[in-house]
Amino acid sequence: MSQPSVQADRRTTASPIARAFALAVLALGCATSAVDALAQSLQAAVGVYRPGISRFFVDGNYDLVADLSVAFGQSGDVALLGDIRGDGARHPVVFRNGQWLVDRNRDGTSDLTVTFGAAGDKPLIADFDKDGIDDLVLYRNGVWYISSGGTGTATYAYGFGGGPTDVPLLADIDGDGMLDLIIYRAGVWFASTRRDGVADRVFAFGGGPNDIPMAFDYNGDGIADLVIFRDGVWYVSTARNGVVNASFQLGIAGDKPLYFGKGVASTPRLDAARLLYQGTFGPTEAEITRVQTLGVAGWVDAQLAAPKSTFTAMPWWPTGRPSTSTNPLCTFPNYLTSSYSPTAPCNCSDGTGFNRCQRDVYTNYRVQNEFLTKALTAPDQLRLRTAWALSQIIVTSNMQDPLAYPMRDYFQMLTDNAFGNFQELLLRVTASPWMGNYLDMVNNNGSPAQLAAGRLPNENYARELLQLFSIGLWELRDDGTQLLDAQGKPIPTYDQDEIMELARALTGWTYYPLTNLGQTVRWNAPVNYLVNMIPIEGPLNGTGTVNYHDVTAKSLMGYNFPAGGRAETEINMAVALVAQHPNTAPFMSKQLIQQLVTSNPTPAYVQRVSAVWNNNGSGIRGDLKAVVKAILTDAEARAPRNPVRTKFGKLKEPVLYVTSLLRQLGISSDGVALRTPLSNMAQNVFNSPTVFNYYNAEYVVPGTNLSGPAFEIFDATLYFQRVNWAYNLLYSGTCDTGAPWSPVLCGPAPDTTVSGSTGTKIDWTIAKAYADNPTALVSYVDNVLLFGTMPVGMRNSIVKAVTAVTVSTPSTQQQRLDRARMAVYLTAISPKFQVEF
């Protein structure tokens, strides 16, 4: 180990008068002028280590309750907290006779060991060289040894202090952004701000026999404050003048104090962006301004009242593609090119150069494009975001029948009813021919002949209506937690008999006839997704001679359906029973919270939203408008993020990853270039692979006990699909040329086979203006994409990468573009941008 570079300071202890003054001030403590920690708007996150049980307790939101509790270490260890990987969060660390054991994932198990030092050394952890990664520091007899980056090799050494009772500390005591060397000696603090071995600052504070000194920025003003920890009580001198400005209790006698780092903190802009992540397809500068102007409730109310988006109407098309050029059913104005006239029949044989019949009619191509365009630009963002959430809970898919128009109509129905009543929405879903086809309710035969033959109705829709669309598998409390029986086992919400009874109540429905084609009402009618299904009840409603609805008595959820029931009456009653079930509020509320806000809502959050579901304040149940407002305005959704409690928020699913990047960068797009990449990321829009959605709502992140639904489609391969898309978006395509400031507009060109295609364009004007200064450029990108939350280590790495993109003097427009692209690309693919916070 290298020797110290300067002589150690050998100053003596403070005078008895100074020490007595400090002790007197501390003795007054809470009883006099000390201000409560909460009133001081505490900016620091703190904790304690309890040696008797080798456990860390850390509080990140200054409510004096531990948000992190981890058993780690053993008797005799020195406990610390450090950011060893540069991700902006600190982790439990113990120093044991020259070995540093680090628990980087906070699970109580060491996953990194570094050898540095020896028994008797006094360890510290701090970012000494400001690279965003905490360094390992040893204090030994007046010499400070620093291992930059935690490598275990001493890269710096300083001399300061050396007394047998000296307590070394590292903190920015003068606010210049650099860590200062501090020695605490019996109530007197000696600080060397120049690290030259000379104490140029001296303070008096503390000095009691049980006092443990700390120095950190308690109040968030950028200057370290003096802190004394005594038997579980923290005394703070923010003016560093020996006067206690604040005190609070966290811990007990025998605990060792810990400094986690910056605590809960936010800005109005960051708060606005957080709301927009939850209620839109991504923040924009214009919407951030609107939120700050209207306030949270005002913005939500304005969105709830905004006119609804309407997707371009599509006509009926046969399920089998016509092959003639004169088929009168092929007049489809939404799939045109400049060479195709909307007044002429389309050529469904898909002739080259003038149409894409297969693509535009027999896939979701046009619906996907329009959805993605509206997600980027439509003013009713909250309605569309809610409809998208509902589409992933009450799932249909084109995987079964690849036609465009029914998916357009189904999503329009979700959009129209996103802020309506849930029971009415569920009734519309149940009567939908698109859902009827997807889950086999259409042409579900309950006729006397069917029953006499012992053939049971298809149970597919009945099962999913209960399991996925309303009440779930297990009985729940209002807070979403499971009710248990006397043996501690979960209680099923229904059994097979109830599925069979529900299926019987939903029999007798078929497609509505296409009267313009001469069709008449009949059982097993040709496919028509334009109009709700119709019951075939024979003489009862003039639809033939056979009643295909099961008219025998039924019993469902405690309600008895009398014999002779009508199809429309029983479908209404069945939907009402599940919509009014006690489980529906917590089951659906939690899923909507997970879709909009966080994958792991607390039970209290779910309970508050369930209460609004059960009663909107006017005695109405299932008012989705009130529920969505309750979700977004809840205190848990609006609270600044706790740096210690890291399970809030969620991984961006592919659609939200793509749309948020485009919206935040102000990128215009017709959606064409986004569809295939989303499919590659395992979220082919409106083509869910199963009725359980693209990912399971109950998926648990491997190795944790945390829900993380979108992580089911986020492995290494799929992550690189995101990376590849971001690279292609930012680096590929064409750029404008000719003007002195070109290239500025870049991106995928319009698709000439798509009517009205505009392509995808990125305006690099502002980013390029910062490109000559890598630090300023990265700060700009941080502000746009991360709203100022970029960790120091990440910032330094990106600045380094941007600087490596060489420029001439003066720099060219292309060089500036290349630097701007690098800064945006590295930020966009980072874990920090992959999540909603």
Side-chain angles (χ1 to χ4, degrees), residues 9 11 160 181 189-194 196-202:
D9 176 71
R11 299 187 180 213
F160 185 57
L181 308 181
W189 310 60
F190 302 95
S192 177
T193 63
R194 295 186 295 270
D196 60 358
V198 177
D200 48 61
R201 302 286 180 93
V202 180

Side-chain angles (χ1 to χ4, degrees), residues 513-537:
L514 286 163
T515 55
N516 62 322
L517 296 182
Q519 295 177 3
T520 58
V521 176
R522 65 178 178 85
W523 182 247
N524 208 17
V527 174
N528 173 21
Y529 296 126
L530 281 180
V531 185
N532 283 342
M533 295 183 293
I534 183 174
I536 304 298
E537 298 178 281

Side-chain angles (χ1 to χ4, degrees), residues 661-675:
L661 182 61
L662 268 63
R663 282 174 61 84
Q664 288 176 245
L665 291 175
I667 300 175
S668 63
S669 178
D670 57 11
V672 174
L674 309 179
R675 299 170 46 264

Side-chain angles (χ1 to χ4, degrees), residues 338-397:
S338 58
S339 61
Y340 177 72
S341 169
T343 60
C346 77
N347 186 337
C348 289
S349 60
D350 211 11
T352 302
F354 55 88
N355 70 61
R356 294 291 185 275
C357 182
Q358 177 66 34
R359 179 194 71 187
D360 294 346
V361 179
Y362 292 96
T363 73
N364 271 332
Y365 188 88
R366 297 304 300 234
V367 189
Q368 291 172 326
N369 289 358
E370 188 168 8
F371 165 73
L372 291 167
T373 302
K374 290 186 184 300
L376 295 176
T377 62
D380 59 330
Q381 282 285 301
L382 181 54
R383 178 183 290 275
L384 287 172
R385 178 69 189 275
T386 305
W388 175 241
L390 289 168
S391 76
Q392 296 190 74
I393 300 172
I394 309 174
V395 177
T396 59
S397 173

Side-chain angles (χ1 to χ4, degrees), residues 7-9 139 142-144 158-162 181-183 190-192 197-199:
Q7 292 298 313
D9 176 71
Y139 177 80
V143 182
W144 307 63
Y158 298 91
F160 185 57
L181 308 181
I182 303 171
I183 288 294
F190 302 95
S192 177
V198 177

Side-chain angles (χ1 to χ4, degrees), residues 778-792:
V778 174
S779 292
Y780 164 74
V781 174
D782 175 20
N783 189 53
V784 170
L785 294 184
L786 301 180
F787 308 102
T789 64
M790 185 181 290
V792 176

